[in-house]
Amino acid sequence: MAQLWGGRFNGSTAQDAFAFNASIGFDRRLFQQDIQGSIAHVTMLARQNILSVEEKDAIVDGLEGILKDVEENRLEIDLSCEDIHSFVEANLIRRIGDVGKKLHTGRSRNDQVALDMRLYTRERVRETDGLLKELLVVILSVMEENLETYMPGFTHLQKAQPTTLAHHYGAYFEMFRRDRQRMADIERRMNYCPLGAGALAGTTYPLDREYAASLMGFDGVTGNSMDSVSDRDYLIEFLAALSTVMMHLSRFSEEIILWNSNEYQFVEMDDAYSTGSSIMPQKKNPDIAELVRGKTGRVYGALMSLLTTMKGLPLAYNKDMQEDKEVAFDAMDTVKNSLSLFTGMLKTMKFRKDRMAASAMNGFTNATDAADYLVGKGVPFRDAHSIVGRLVLYCIEKNTSIDKLSLEELKEISDEFEGDIYEAVSLKTCVEKRLTIGAPGPSAMREAVEKNKAYLELS
Ligand code: ARG
């Protein structure tokens, strides 16, 4: 077992203690970032004359060789090492000899792991942003094609007012757009390099931290070396943002599960994204949507886990922080898979527009519009509300709908009803008259679609 320390020890670590302590089983996935950080570190050391150019070149060559060999499966990460940092350093020394022992000059594993994790997280923030964008492209294309696809809008899961599929999807466009903005915010705030913080109190070598940071695309360096090695705020922010992405995906999934049910039949899932039952031959289940909804909990769990890990830690580094990785990696992978499967499912899902419109037509979704009609005839809204309430009760008793009543029946409840009521409470009118910004009326929605399109072209 390769470890980077031992000088001050007489005995060796108990095997189970070593295994409990080791992180290579999961931090192995930081190997690219670890090598990238080490290359930047020695490049800076040479520039500051702390290493000679020849030493730096030998180390960089060795590190690049390790990277290539691992990537091309010629070198396996040795799981008997303590962590990825030990593996890379031990392998480097094996390759290039004693000069490899200079790699760790002016550095601690504390600032090293802080850097690796930040580099890795930055990549995953960008990747999440890209996946969110792909989802937005699919949502927008559904919006564009369904400006006049009528459906009921719900409150309390009860039919409320008619809307359109474009409008309903438009709500999710806003949510996932905000998720992308959160990714950009996180990157902006986290993009400072902790390398050079050392174990906790900087180093006595004349490191040029800003130069090393610039080699890795950071906007600058972190401000305080104690904070640098013990800050995991950026990861907590990312997990919070990922939790919000999952919350949005889960709400959308829940709706798709409902829409796919026998009662609604608003959508037809593609065979590629549904599964059958081993016993009930009629079944076509929305498993992908259910799994996305189900996996939301483990992402929230990761956030709670890391918040709890951090809450009692004194400055600066504590080994507890090693616990940031497994939960964070799992959350990142879960969101990645959920986003890409959800996007595929959405892309292939077919809408039963006839069912949606029929559903919007019953359930009194035009009751507000009937009241507004009376307001147009001079009836105060509160009275109009009560008149239409009575109208609805009458319809329920007769098992019919407002638009199917005769003018005589309507006039019996209010004399203000005239022949133009039928047009006023038609589905088309109900939707078309809703023209305030953000409302489902087709011209308002067309504007929203144009804005969304421009947004996707720009970012
Ligand atoms: N595996 C450790 C972690 O993930 C690396 C840092 C170790 N530092 C230390 N002082 N033991 O946090």
Side-chain angles (χ1 to χ4, degrees), residues 30-41:
L30 300 175
F31 82 92
Q32 282 169 330
Q33 291 73 23
D34 198 70
I35 289 172
Q36 183 192 2
S38 289
I39 290 175
H41 180 62

Side-chain angles (χ1 to χ4, degrees), residues 95-269:
R95 263 171 209 247
I96 65 170
D98 277 355
V99 60
K101 294 180 181 168
K102 297 196 171 187
L103 166 63
H104 212 51
T105 314
R107 190 176 66 169
S108 155
R109 271 187 299 168
N110 297 351
D111 59 344
Q112 186 177 1
V113 77
L115 171 66
D116 292 3
M117 199 59 188
R118 219 176 258 245
L119 285 170
Y120 183 82
T121 304
R122 186 175 69 181
E123 275 175 38
R124 304 293 308 249
V125 168
R126 290 173 184 167
E127 174 191 66
T128 308
D129 182 67
L131 289 166
L132 283 165
K133 182 166 184 176
E134 282 172 34
L135 175 56
L136 285 175
V137 168
V138 175
I139 292 175
L140 184 62
S141 75
V142 174
M143 288 176 74
E144 275 189 285
E145 286 161 21
N146 292 284
L147 289 165
E148 286 171 57
T149 304
Y150 302 126
M151 67 182 290
F154 297 81
T155 63
H156 312 269
L157 203 53
Q158 312 228 39
K159 284 182 200 172
Q161 291 174 344
T163 180
T164 65
L165 182 57
H167 189 233
H168 199 116
Y169 266 48
Y172 286 104
F173 193 98
E174 299 298 322
M175 294 180 227
F176 295 118
R177 186 217 314 260
R178 287 195 296 272
D179 287 332
R180 289 193 71 202
Q181 289 166 346
R182 272 183 273 276
M183 296 304 142
D185 285 348
I186 291 167
E187 182 169 345
R188 201 174 309 123
R189 200 161 25 255
M190 75 176 284
N191 203 23
Y192 293 89
C193 183
L195 189 65
L200 76 161
T203 77
T204 54
Y205 298 96
L207 305 185
D208 185 345
R209 292 189 59 204
E210 277 164 340
Y211 174 67
S214 74
L215 293 176
M216 293 176 281
F218 284 106
D219 294 328
V221 297
T222 52
N224 176 289
S225 60
M226 280 198 166
D227 178 55
S228 305
V229 292
S230 60
D231 167 31
R232 297 294 181 272
D233 290 5
Y234 67 90
L235 199 52
I236 290 171
E237 284 187 40
F238 187 35
L239 292 176
L242 290 179
S243 295
T244 307
V245 170
M246 288 306 286
M247 181 268 289
H248 292 152
L249 285 176
S250 185
R251 293 181 72 179
F252 209 164
S253 293
E254 169 65 14
E255 299 211 273
I256 288 168
I257 292 162
L258 283 172
W259 293 351
N260 183 64
S261 70
N262 219 287
E263 283 67 27
Y264 280 73
Q265 295 178 32
F266 282 6
V267 296
E268 171 98 37
M269 310 279 268

Side-chain angles (χ1 to χ4, degrees), residues 23 27 83 85 109-110 113 317 319 322 325:
S23 53
D27 66 19
D83 53 28
H85 325 297
R109 271 187 299 168
N110 297 351
V113 77
Y317 179 82
K319 195 60 174 263
Q322 180 166 290
K325 293 180 194 61

Side-chain angles (χ1 to χ4, degrees), residues 401-415:
S401 56
I402 298 175
D403 47 290
K404 293 206 182 78
L405 297 178
S406 68
L407 195 53
E408 290 68 46
E409 284 173 298
L410 288 164
K411 275 192 175 296
E412 234 165 79
I413 295 176
S414 168
D415 208 31

